[in-house]
Amino acid sequence: MDYDTLRCEIDQRILTITLNRPDKLNALTDTMLRELDDAFSQAEADDAIHVIILTGAERGFCPGQDLVVALAQAASGALRYGEHLRALYNPLILRMRRLPKIIIGAINGVAAGAGMSLALACDLRIAAESASFMQAFVKVGLAPDSGSSWLLPRLVGPARALELMLSGRRVSAQEALTLGIVNEVTPDSDLMRRTMELASELANGPTITIGYIKSAVEFALDHALAEALDKEAELQDLAGQTADHIEGVSAFLEKRPPQFRGK
Ligand code: T3D
């Protein structure tokens, strides 16, 4: 995986994708959006990758769409935001949510606008103490996009989501933890160690079933109970046929730790 705007490293079945335009706090360009989509697509196809970490280079996570590029394109009539979102952002967010592997956001700095959407599209978020979150769209006269309107209310409830979207204010990592936007907060210096620790636990788990767990929660969020029950039955049927299920039960009966193989 060789990209202009991303760094990608694979270590012990964990792919770390680093947004890499640090001079602009890793603002999103068309190239970066295409490269991200490609990296997630390759991660999905590669059985050797069990877990993905998404982070940012240096002091920012991602401040959203590169406004210099967007403004220039919009002013020249070359960019209609709706087309741009449908072509590049929406497929990427859907790919992340549908990918049957866990994506952990290691939020190292500010996540604003579509950069916050990108963080919200991860399955789990660990934030450095100095990280922050901004629904910055309103500050530039735009409405939330790239999934924020769907993802944020589901994490914090509609009233809090609206307050953040209407104010565009900066939320600290600690407040994000209280609101339920992030799973945990670490000292800045411990962010990647702790993220790798969690990723490693997941990478050594029953990864096919972990994909089903993600899929079941995603499905349940916009379906009725009867449909969710049916989905659970469908997925449990598949999980029950994995070698890891046999291994998990055998390990329990033999009173030893399971050795899952992701099969
Ligand atoms: O289809 C479409 O494209 C529409 C989609 C829109 C989606 C969106 O994401 S809209 C929302 C866009 N994002 C924002 O409005 C946030 C803009 N940035 C900020 O408000 C601030 O930069 C931050 C609060 C995020 C961080 O502030 P601070 O003081 O820590 O850093 P800074 O000095 O403002 O930024 C450092 C550099 O990054 C600076 O460049 P310079 O002056 O040193 O050359 C700054 O211009 C650049 N930068 C930050 N954000 C962006 C950016 N450059 C381009 N685009 C950015 N979004």
Side-chain angles (χ1 to χ4, degrees), residues 23-25 27 59 63-68 70 79-82 84-85 89 110 112-115 134 136-137 139-140 142 145-146 170:
D23 292 352
K24 300 294 170 196
L25 305 180
R59 79 175 176 96
Q65 168 66 38
D66 188 313
L67 290 172
V68 178
L79 179 72
R80 286 290 298 267
Y81 289 138
H84 192 233
L85 288 165
Y89 280 94
V110 64
M134 279 176 81
F137 306 93
K139 300 269 193 196
V140 290
L142 291 177
D145 63 28
S146 45
R170 204 159 172 165

Side-chain angles (χ1 to χ4, degrees), residues 17 19 36 40 52-56 61 92-99 101-107 111 114-126 133 146-147 150-152 155 180-183 195 214 218 221:
I17 303 174
L19 307 172
L36 266 176
F40 282 117
I52 302 142
I53 295 172
L54 181 63
T55 192
F61 175 74
L92 169 65
I93 298 299
L94 286 175
R95 185 182 293 288
M96 290 172 72
R97 296 309 315 135
R98 290 173 179 164
L99 203 147
K101 298 178 183 181
I102 295 296
I103 306 170
I104 306 175
I107 316 300
M116 179 163 173
S117 303
L118 211 52
L120 297 176
C122 297
D123 300 298
L124 301 167
R125 280 156 295 281
I126 303 185
F133 297 83
S146 45
W150 195 93
L151 295 160
L152 188 60
L155 287 175
I181 293 173
V182 301
N183 297 84
T195 306
K214 171 170 172 171
E218 191 71 3
L221 281 170

Side-chain angles (χ1 to χ4, degrees), residues 81 100 162 215:
Y81 289 138
L162 261 178
S215 167

Side-chain angles (χ1 to χ4, degrees), residues 89-217:
Y89 280 94
N90 297 2
L92 169 65
I93 298 299
L94 286 175
R95 185 182 293 288
M96 290 172 72
R97 296 309 315 135
R98 290 173 179 164
L99 203 147
K101 298 178 183 181
I102 295 296
I103 306 170
I104 306 175
I107 316 300
N108 55 302
V110 64
M116 179 163 173
S117 303
L118 211 52
L120 297 176
C122 297
D123 300 298
L124 301 167
R125 280 156 295 281
I126 303 185
E129 254 165 11
S130 67
S132 56
F133 297 83
M134 279 176 81
Q135 282 288 302
F137 306 93
V138 70
K139 300 269 193 196
V140 290
L142 291 177
D145 63 28
S146 45
S148 269
S149 69
W150 195 93
L151 295 160
L152 188 60
R154 282 168 168 77
L155 287 175
V156 305
R160 285 199 176 104
L162 261 178
E163 185 265 314
L164 297 181
M165 290 168 180
L166 295 173
S167 67
R169 73 181 172 85
R170 204 159 172 165
V171 172
S172 70
Q174 277 305 331
E175 185 183 358
L177 181 64
T178 308
L179 289 173
I181 293 173
V182 301
N183 297 84
E184 56 184 274
V185 175
T186 67
D188 289 8
S189 59
D190 202 34
L191 176 68
M192 289 319 289
R193 187 208 61 77
R194 172 60 193 134
T195 306
M196 284 302 285
E197 181 181 67
L198 174 62
S200 179
E201 273 170 37
L202 291 165
N204 290 312
T207 44
I208 294 177
T209 297
I210 286 173
Y212 297 152
I213 295 170
K214 171 170 172 171
S215 167
V217 172

